[in-house]
Amino acid sequence: MLTFVATVRDLSHKGLGVVDHPDGRTFFVRGTWPGDEAEFEISLASRKYDEARLVRLVVPSKDRTEVICAHRGYLPGQCGGCPWMLADYHSQLHFKRKRLVHALEKRRVSSSVTVPNVMPSPKVLGYRNRVQLKTDGSRLGYVSEGSSVFAPVDDCVIMNETLRGLFHDLRSTLPRDDWSPTGGHRWSFLDLDDESTLEKIVLNKRRPFRQGNSEQNDVMRRWIREKFSALPAHFPVIDLFCGSGNFTEVLSELGFTNILAVEVQGTALEALTQARFPGVRILPLDMTKKGVWATIARSQPHAKALLLDPPREGLEKRRGLFKYLDNLEVIYYISCEIDTFSRDAADFLKHGWQLQEVTPIDLFPHTPHVEVLSVFTRR
Ligand SMILES: C[S@@+](CC[C@H](N)C(=O)[O-])C[C@H]1O[C@@H](n2cnc3c(N)ncnc32)[C@H](O)[C@@H]1O
């Protein structure tokens, strides 16, 4: 092992500290922040771009702050869920915006827009309304960063009050033999949200998707309300990746009479069906399959507006959109992953669309994630 002292000059694309070795190599270091002067360790086999390990801080960055979670860390068995908790929130937001700007520039899609500051989360602790926990039958926890090692926790400060209460109630019911992992698995999972009750928690059963930060979800719903209220209510609309109808409900409330809501997940479709939002038709469809756009176009041939809120993978199948939806005037793309968003945006631009607006919003403080609300119109 070799060590060297350097100052972290930036954050990498994945949110790790970037340091330059005196010999010209570049290293990425977990648990560091720009401005940290520190000693780092590398192995003899380290390559030109590689990970290094923080040995000790010499002078901490002025943007560092106290980490208030005892479980957070980078070693196997420690929780990797809040890697940016070491930094002051203002600095986190600065680097979230920088990640987005960089991703858009790399794909050359940013020339038509100015990226505003990231809209902060009203709560930086106690904001999460849902989590996926792991359990080995006697403990609850998460998984360590970059590994599949179980990381037991006895508390989690980012859960909102209700969820945290449920977590502690659940913890007091352990150990449970029937929750021990089976079939070679190291843990079972539990989808928990602040609308669950102890009796309703089911092992290894996914609950429908839900935006994880309720306050910021209200902001997103308001954004959609504002955008769609500028459109005529007779416009045929597609709400793609609609989940259990979080945004569909807003469109329906605005009086849109012809909304096609598309989703694949069973429990989300059940909830959507039960909601019976006026003006909504449901199309169960797996968007990774061939020919999906032809199917959508058959159900909504004159679509004028598309609302798109895909999972991290983004809009993997896009070609049919350009081929089949000739009447489309506007696309509202809500994204939770800037790489796939930038990739899709670049493709939209290639097919005659232009990016009108991007609004970054923070749903997950203490992580590198950025949610993007965007508008595309025909060029
Ligand atoms: C980011 S969530 C958005 C849900 C909804 N708009 C909301 O705000 O709650 C993405 C949704 O896409 C759905 N989804 C994931 N993969 C899909 C696929 N291949 N085809 C259709 N829907 C999919 C998920 O089940 C999830 O409900």
Side-chain angles (χ1 to χ4, degrees), residues 206 208-211 217 220 239-247 262-265 268 285-289 309-313 334 336 371:
R206 277 188 61 189
F209 175 87
R210 190 168 159 216
Q211 303 288 356
N217 185 45
M220 295 201 287
D239 180 3
L240 190 52
F241 304 101
C242 66
S244 44
N246 180 35
F247 300 148
V262 185
E263 170 61 47
V264 73
Q265 208 249 331
L285 192 65
D286 181 350
M287 287 301 294
T288 60
K289 296 279 188 261
D309 182 18
R312 289 196 177 165
E313 294 75 19
I334 297 186
C336 58
E371 191 88 6

Side-chain angles (χ1 to χ4, degrees), residues 168-184:
H168 287 297
D169 291 347
L170 183 63
R171 209 167 154 259
S172 67
T173 68
L174 300 180
R176 285 183 55 158
D177 288 343
D178 56 334
W179 280 9
S180 297
T182 52

Side-chain angles (χ1 to χ4, degrees), residues 111-349:
S111 58
S112 59
V113 290
T114 308
V115 178
N117 288 337
V118 179
M119 224 185 268
S121 172
K123 292 180 184 164
V124 291
L125 295 175
Y127 67 83
R128 272 206 84 123
N129 57 30
R130 66 171 170 87
V131 286
Q132 186 176 89
L133 294 169
K134 316 291 182 220
T135 182
D136 58 4
S138 53
R139 297 165 301 173
L140 299 174
Y142 297 103
V143 180
S144 299
E145 189 168 303
S147 77
S148 49
V149 177
F150 180 55
V153 301
D154 56 21
D155 196 7
C156 175
V157 291
I158 60 163
M159 290 182 190
N160 70 21
E161 216 179 308
T162 312
L163 187 61
R164 207 166 165 190
L166 188 64
F167 171 89
H168 287 297
D169 291 347
L170 183 63
R171 209 167 154 259
S172 67
T173 68
L174 300 180
R176 285 183 55 158
D177 288 343
D178 56 334
W179 280 9
S180 297
T182 52
H185 294 285
R186 271 174 270 181
W187 59 72
S188 308
F189 75 84
L190 294 160
D191 269 3
L192 221 66
D193 76 35
D194 64 1
E195 289 174 355
S196 312
T197 54
L198 264 190
E199 306 69 49
K200 280 197 189 151
I201 296 170
V202 184
L203 199 67
N204 295 331
K205 183 160 193 285
R206 277 188 61 189
R207 288 177 64 86
F209 175 87
R210 190 168 159 216
Q211 303 288 356
N213 182 326
S214 302
E215 286 78 12
Q216 295 295 66
N217 185 45
D218 289 344
V219 172
M220 295 201 287
R221 282 169 54 109
R222 275 204 297 279
W223 185 86
I224 286 167
R225 186 174 290 278
E226 182 201 311
K227 298 296 176 199
F228 276 83
S229 58
L231 303 179
H234 67 264
F235 261 30
V237 176
I238 301 169
D239 180 3
L240 190 52
F241 304 101
C242 66
S244 44
N246 180 35
F247 300 148
T248 326
E249 182 180 24
V250 176
L251 304 181
S252 174
E253 283 169 2
L254 283 171
F256 283 87
T257 50
N258 186 359
I259 306 162
L260 183 73
V262 185
E263 170 61 47
V264 73
Q265 208 249 331
T267 46
L269 284 165
E270 274 167 34
L272 187 62
T273 307
Q274 273 172 22
R276 294 175 176 271
F277 296 126
V280 175
R281 286 176 293 130
I282 302 169
L283 177 64
L285 192 65
D286 181 350
M287 287 301 294
T288 60
K289 296 279 188 261
K290 257 185 162 179
V292 280
W293 288 101
T295 308
I296 290 175
R298 269 197 300 278
S299 296
Q300 193 66 300
H302 308 295
K304 293 262 195 194
L306 170 64
L307 172 61
L308 187 62
D309 182 18
R312 289 196 177 165
E313 294 75 19
L315 192 58
E316 287 177 297
K317 292 250 183 311
R318 301 179 291 277
R319 206 171 294 167
L321 184 162
F322 311 118
K323 187 169 164 194
Y324 290 103
L325 297 182
D326 289 340
N327 292 307
L328 211 57
E329 292 183 10
V330 60
I331 300 173
Y332 300 102
Y333 189 154
I334 297 186
S335 163
C336 58
E337 172 51 61
I338 56 178
D339 288 332
T340 53
F341 171 72
S342 313
R343 175 203 68 196
D344 296 347
D347 213 18
F348 288 4
L349 264 56

